[in-house]
Amino acid sequence: MTSNQTVTSPRRPGAVQPHGGERRGAELLSIGAVLACLREDFPEVTISKIRFLEAEGLVEPQRTPSGYRKFGPADVERLAYVLRMQRDHYLPLRVIREHLDAIERGEAPPALPGADARPGPREEADRELEAPAGGVRLGRAELLAAAGAEERDLAEWESYGLVAAGPDGGYDADTLQIARLVAELGRFGLEPRHLRQVKAAAEREIALVDQVVAPLRRHRNPQTRAHAEATARELATLAVRLHATMVQAGLRGRGQ
């Protein structure tokens, strides 16, 4: 297979094939051609999304000597399968990976959730960041006990906007996670006033993600709007990874 082979659209994505299932002589597609092929059924898909799924190991395109991605028909079918499982069944990537692994072994994938299944607050597609179980609503005393903090700590966190109660006066799972992390950082001498910069950075990242998903939320297709939250989760995961890697790289540089 030469790197300058003519690119044409494969057959419409259907049943997924295992890795390495390309027929000999199958034509390869650039990432742009794959995007055009998929967008008929998945208008929300982007090149960044395809690259993200590749980074997660859900598709493994070939590479030309110059480093360009080349996708075969089976790659396109795998991408379509992943996107369909996310959109129609709200499956997280780890579950979709289990489906693909089963297909690789020649087995039937796990049964899909019923048509009436809907993701809970902590079961949204592609929830890659670890968090407490969904639906959690804690009172003030329960939050303090779970975070190992005292009333004066919580009052200070709230004064700096690090945590906040919901309209019902309760605290959700995300707030519990934040409280635990703030408490843990406090054991290293980092006070709430020091964490204002972290909160400001998070707000800038939120604004950046909002810029990307806002068009999806305004889309006329209800499935596209429903997929906006999953896209936001993926972008948040990437932003967190980038932030953590930059911090770690910077600290390693300081130690040299």
Side-chain angles (χ1 to χ4, degrees):
M1 190 71 65
T2 59
S3 61
N4 60 352
Q5 186 171 0
T6 302
V7 171
T8 58
S9 296
R11 65 187 184 279
R12 188 180 182 86
V16 75
Q17 297 182 30
H19 282 318
E22 302 292 359
R23 63 188 184 279
R24 188 173 297 277
E27 295 178 343
L28 300 181
L29 300 171
S30 68
I31 193 169
V34 171
L35 180 66
C37 180
L38 292 171
R39 270 192 165 165
E40 180 178 352
D41 290 328
F42 308 98
E44 74 280 5
V45 71
T46 63
I47 284 179
S48 295
K49 170 78 171 186
I50 295 172
R51 289 173 176 162
F52 173 78
L53 294 176
E54 179 191 357
E56 293 296 311
L58 293 165
V59 65
E60 298 175 5
Q62 299 179 38
R63 293 277 186 163
T64 67
S66 55
Y68 290 102
R69 296 171 177 84
K70 290 293 182 179
F71 298 79
D75 295 318
V76 179
E77 289 167 358
R78 288 174 68 88
L79 287 168
Y81 185 87
V82 172
L83 295 171
R84 189 175 301 111
M85 292 301 102
Q86 287 184 316
R87 183 193 65 192
D88 297 347
H89 301 284
Y90 303 94
L91 296 185
L93 291 183
R94 65 181 179 277
V95 175
I96 297 174
R97 188 177 291 108
E98 292 173 1
H99 281 229
L100 293 174
D101 288 345
I103 292 170
E104 290 277 359
R105 296 190 299 268
E107 302 171 0
L112 294 172
D116 294 333
R118 290 293 183 270
R122 315 308 311 156
E123 296 170 339
E124 296 166 280
D126 305 333
R127 179 66 177 182
E128 299 299 321
L129 299 177
E130 294 183 0
V136 173
R137 298 301 295 178
L138 301 175
R140 196 173 185 86
E142 293 172 314
L143 179 71
L144 291 172
E150 298 182 3
E151 175 62 37
R152 65 173 180 272
D153 298 318
L154 180 53
E156 188 175 16
W157 300 343
E158 289 176 326
S159 71
Y160 283 97
L162 299 176
V163 300
D168 61 353
Y171 299 88
D172 60 16
D174 287 327
T175 303
L176 172 58
Q177 187 80 332
I178 291 170
R180 285 172 169 168
L181 291 170
V182 171
E184 189 65 26
L185 288 167
R187 296 185 180 97
F188 289 88
L190 291 175
E191 300 176 6
R193 59 189 176 88
H194 299 137
L195 301 180
R196 286 182 298 183
Q197 296 180 39
V198 177
K199 183 175 186 295
E203 289 173 345
R204 289 193 294 270
E205 291 173 359
I206 291 168
L208 185 62
V209 171
D210 278 340
Q211 289 180 16
V212 176
V213 301
L216 300 180
R217 288 171 174 156
R218 294 195 299 266
H219 203 281
R220 287 182 294 179
N221 186 330
Q223 292 179 328
T224 299
R225 294 198 302 270
H227 193 62
E229 186 63 22
T231 301
R233 295 293 187 186
E234 289 177 359
L235 290 173
T237 299
L238 291 172
V240 168
R241 289 178 179 173
L242 176 61
H243 183 91
T245 301
M246 286 181 167
V247 171
Q248 291 168 358
L251 292 174
R252 279 194 297 269
R254 297 287 178 90
Q256 294 175 354

